[in-house]
Amino acid sequence: MNFFHLPFTPNTRILTENTLNQYSEIRKPKRGYFPIKIRKISFSNELLVIGVILDKEPEEMVYLKVTTSELLVSCSVDTHENYLSRYAYFALNQLMYYHTEYDFEDYYWPGFFDQETGGSKYLMIHKSKDNLHVSSKVRYKGLYKPGKQLPIVSANIVELRKAVPSIQEEPPRKTHKVLGFCLADNNNERFRTNHYPFLIPYTGILNKAKTEVRSFTTYVLNEMQLSEIDLSDEQQNLVEICFDMKKIALVANPEYKEDAHKLSEKRKQNQNNFNQLFELWQKALPLLSGRLYTHYSYTYGMRNVKGKPRRSYMTPCAFNNETPEICFLWKDMGDYYKLELRLMFQGKIHPLQYYFNTAFFAMLSYSPRNYVLLNSVDDSQLVSYFQQSQFQLLVLKKHYEGDFKNFVDQLRMVYRFINK
């Protein structure tokens, strides 16, 4: 086929409407109704086939191949390396629909197909009436695609934090009113009242046996709310750390059409706050580990961290005083390598749960509400990256040399590798 080349936005597989219009003089009619119907027909040998019907014309085929940096386009009529047909133009324009861009990442699978059969043992291709969805099979979760951005591995080796002594908290003797502490969490990819995980005090009423909180009274946002509670020195110090956390936990989100300088400043401030919060969590751990009344709450935004905590949102949890060491399992699987992230502490290797991602912490698969504070900000960011693919990365041997090998070599300099 003779392909027409359309460049993607750098470091992505996104084609913008602006780029499409730069390479073609064809446009939708400004007046009148011009029906366009497309359907994704097949995906084989890296080639996505789309049927397109313009008005009452016969259906024509558009062929798309997604590469690292550009989209290759061909058509059953007209299109060649120097010309983009009207069928191809309108098919791509329709993919964008009401948006101004389209991400072709789902159809970027270089080298994953059998050239003879056109199929792929690594992929699932779900076909509906007019649509088609491509993803890796469950056993191949975390497949690396050439050009995919890998996390930066810091060469600084951070000494493992020594295990802190646990607080031996006792139930209050003369009252059922208690001061507890809640890990307020939120998905930091959400927008508006987004925040990083921080610790917030709350007051509540214990059950008769004083083994758990029966009802929650209020989140503690200032010292005045604690006037009726006799605080120990450790509790007072922990409360002050909580207040310091809340001041810097809110994430600055980009505004509509915000300029590059302001976006850069916001990213820098967010990262500074993230780093400071991690330092505060390290200070809090000796005062928190071993407490009787600690909870986790997914807040759905900072706007909800006020007033009376919702009981259904408050889940009992514990904070581990051990310091985990990240390690990697390296496996040769024949035609690909598998890299798995694990935690090592107490002399054993532990798998992690991947359903929730709470920055600064790791949660073990068999004890998901036992929070283990990671050793460094770098460890936290590495765990967050691997959590997206269930703590494993797979790389075909033909894709290993280059970026992925450099990434593995950097990991080997900092973390322990165990060959399986």
Side-chain angles (χ1 to χ4, degrees), residues 41-209:
I41 297 173
S42 65
F43 184 59
S44 176
N45 263 346
E46 303 178 36
L47 202 65
L48 175 63
V49 181
I50 296 179
V52 55
I53 299 175
L54 305 181
D55 200 1
K56 298 179 181 179
E57 300 177 32
E59 184 178 52
E60 299 292 348
M61 298 296 118
V62 174
Y63 309 96
L64 306 177
K65 183 173 182 178
V66 184
T67 69
T68 305
S69 60
E70 57 187 8
L71 180 68
L72 308 185
V73 187
S74 188
C75 183
S76 53
V77 291
D78 292 340
T79 296
H80 52 76
E81 59 187 8
N82 296 316
Y83 179 73
L84 189 69
S85 74
R86 55 196 289 268
Y87 298 100
Y89 174 88
F90 284 123
L92 293 171
N93 189 274
Q94 190 69 10
L95 280 175
M96 298 176 192
Y97 205 47
Y98 290 117
H99 304 283
T100 58
E101 62 185 30
Y102 186 83
D103 191 347
F104 285 91
E105 185 66 44
D106 284 350
Y107 305 102
Y108 175 61
W109 294 98
F112 290 91
F113 286 85
D114 184 317
Q115 295 300 311
E116 293 184 3
T117 65
S120 174
K121 70 176 184 179
Y122 306 103
L123 305 179
M124 292 188 296
I125 301 174
H126 298 283
K127 181 79 169 64
S128 60
K129 182 180 178 182
D130 295 324
N131 208 348
L132 194 147
H133 179 69
V134 183
S135 62
S136 61
K137 292 181 179 177
V138 175
R139 65 175 297 190
Y140 297 118
K141 183 74 173 178
L143 274 171
Y144 168 77
K145 304 178 187 180
K148 179 182 179 181
Q149 188 171 2
L150 293 163
I152 297 173
V153 182
S154 173
N156 297 325
I157 299 177
V158 181
E159 185 178 350
L160 283 180
R161 182 181 63 245
K162 294 181 180 179
V164 298
S166 293
I167 294 288
Q168 301 299 316
E169 188 173 27
E170 297 289 338
R173 294 182 179 179
K174 299 180 180 180
T175 179
H176 281 73
K177 190 171 185 178
V178 70
L179 175 69
F181 295 89
C182 175
L183 168 54
D185 192 16
N186 191 36
N187 183 342
N188 58 27
E189 293 181 358
R190 292 183 182 270
F191 52 89
R192 298 310 170 203
T193 59
N194 175 18
H195 64 80
Y196 296 125
F198 66 98
L199 192 67
I200 184 166
Y202 65 82
T203 56
I205 306 298
L206 297 175
N207 63 0
K208 187 174 182 180

Side-chain angles (χ1 to χ4, degrees), residues 122 136-145 148 150-151 327-331 333 336-342 351-354 382-395 404 407 411:
Y122 306 103
S136 61
K137 292 181 179 177
V138 175
R139 65 175 297 190
Y140 297 118
K141 183 74 173 178
L143 274 171
Y144 168 77
K145 304 178 187 180
K148 179 182 179 181
L150 293 163
C327 65
F328 290 94
L329 307 183
W330 181 253
K331 302 178 182 180
M333 307 299 289
Y336 65 93
Y337 296 115
K338 179 187 283 190
L339 179 66
E340 297 178 308
L341 186 149
R342 296 289 183 267
L352 292 82
Q353 72 83 21
Y354 49 80
L382 199 59
V383 166
S384 292
Y385 181 88
F386 273 83
Q387 185 266 346
Q388 299 170 36
S389 57
Q390 300 179 10
F391 295 103
Q392 67 177 28
L393 286 181
L394 281 56
V395 58
F404 199 92
F407 173 63
L411 288 176

Side-chain angles (χ1 to χ4, degrees), residues 281-345:
W281 273 110
Q282 288 183 306
K283 289 182 180 180
L285 188 62
L287 305 169
L288 183 64
S289 177
R291 290 201 174 274
L292 295 177
Y293 312 110
T294 51
H295 285 76
Y296 168 93
S297 176
Y298 190 88
T299 66
Y300 297 95
M302 185 70 84
R303 66 185 180 277
N304 298 317
V305 188
K306 60 183 179 181
K308 182 177 180 179
R310 294 181 62 175
R311 181 178 177 82
S312 59
Y313 285 10
M314 302 289 278
T315 304
C317 71
F319 294 89
N320 198 299
N321 66 338
E322 297 284 336
T323 302
E325 177 186 356
I326 288 178
C327 65
F328 290 94
L329 307 183
W330 181 253
K331 302 178 182 180
D332 187 332
M333 307 299 289
D335 55 344
Y336 65 93
Y337 296 115
K338 179 187 283 190
L339 179 66
E340 297 178 308
L341 186 149
R342 296 289 183 267
L343 286 190
M344 179 176 288
F345 65 96

